[in-house]
Amino acid sequence: MIYIHIPFCKQKCSYCNFHFSTSFSLKDEMLDAIKKEIVLRKNELGNRTIRSLYFGGGTPSVLSADEIKSLIDEVLKQFDFSNDIEITLEANPDDLDQKFLKELAQTEVNRLSVGTQSFFDEDLKMMNRAHNASQAESSIKRSQDFGFENISIDLIYGSPTSDFEIWKQNLNKTIELQVPHISSYALTVEPKTALNDWVKKKKITPPKEAEQNREFYYMSDFLKDKGFLHYEISNFAKPGFESKHNSAYWKYCEYLGIGPSAHSYNGREKRSWNVPNNVVYIKSLAENKLPAETEILSERDRFNEMMMIGLRTTWGVDLMKLQEIFSDEISLHYQKETAPKLEEGLLIIENNHLKIPEKHWFLADGIASDLFIV
């Protein structure tokens, strides 16, 4: 699978610490550099037939449909697409106007991930989103009108501008709109963000964990009652609409990350990441150099990552795979650290997979970290 990072946004959201620029002055040079990186890295994936191509960011929908198409064409020159390839474009509601959608429908993009976040203006203003509540709803309907049935929306819960009743209305709206996939995240206060500054200056109250916990479990029960699969802590899908791309991350598969700040993984012990600097990235590619750093993951790192990622999913950690790839020392550590949690019911084993029961999913990161080798 391939991920392409588009590092441009119209404005900075108050909670975001991803790599992007609000200046589009280098856009053309950036697109040329991304295409060059695709060519330079064409031999890195063991299997050149790819099942998913994902445009993330940033905000990929700030590109024109022609620019998106040109990037798809470049990938297709260097790799083969599987017959059922999933091509996802992250998009903001304010970009999904009639003209853009009409043109986008003529490309190979077959899945939209829409950064809705909320259907309420007060939430959106606090988050400094570029769209309003009306656009949040109309963009989804309009996308469906243009034939985009495979739509995911992002929702944020636990915001200081929201409450439990508003959260229930947000979830009801997604059902009303017949969206088949939902990615939902608790609002977190990240360093070097406007939200962090507001909390420090007491301009806004920090999110309350107890309220987020309540909203998380309500969401899980509500969406499952509506026919959704809760297949990863933050992700829900109608059967057949699970994200192929993100599922591959969670199953520890190989992936190629293109663009500034994008990460890659060879499926074994090698991870690399591109420099999170647009100017340096463009300059390096102009000189036919890959602007990447690489690390070789230790056995300990790989074990810790497998626990952290796998225990966030409904399928859990494959114990057969764990036994095959790790040493006896790691296996002994695993047995020692999991035993008390299995006894407490914080962990279970089903079909030779280690899992966290769904009723404890809100605590998953803490449970997984307790198993780490430090």
Side-chain angles (χ1 to χ4, degrees), residues 335-368:
Q335 291 166 18
K336 177 187 174 186
E337 297 302 326
T338 57
K341 287 186 167 25
L342 287 165
E343 201 170 309
E344 292 175 63
L346 293 172
L347 290 170
I348 57 173
I349 294 176
E350 288 181 351
N351 301 319
N352 212 28
H353 282 70
L354 182 72
K355 304 178 182 182
I356 297 175
E358 198 170 330
K359 64 182 179 180
H360 298 307
W361 268 14
F362 197 74
L363 308 172
D365 287 351
I367 293 171

Side-chain angles (χ1 to χ4, degrees), residues 18 58 69 84 114 148 203 205 258-259 314 325 342 367 370:
F18 287 1
K69 170 67 174 169
D84 61 346
V114 185
F148 291 98
K203 291 182 176 180
T205 58
I258 303 290
T314 189
I325 65 177
L342 287 165
I367 293 171
D370 286 346

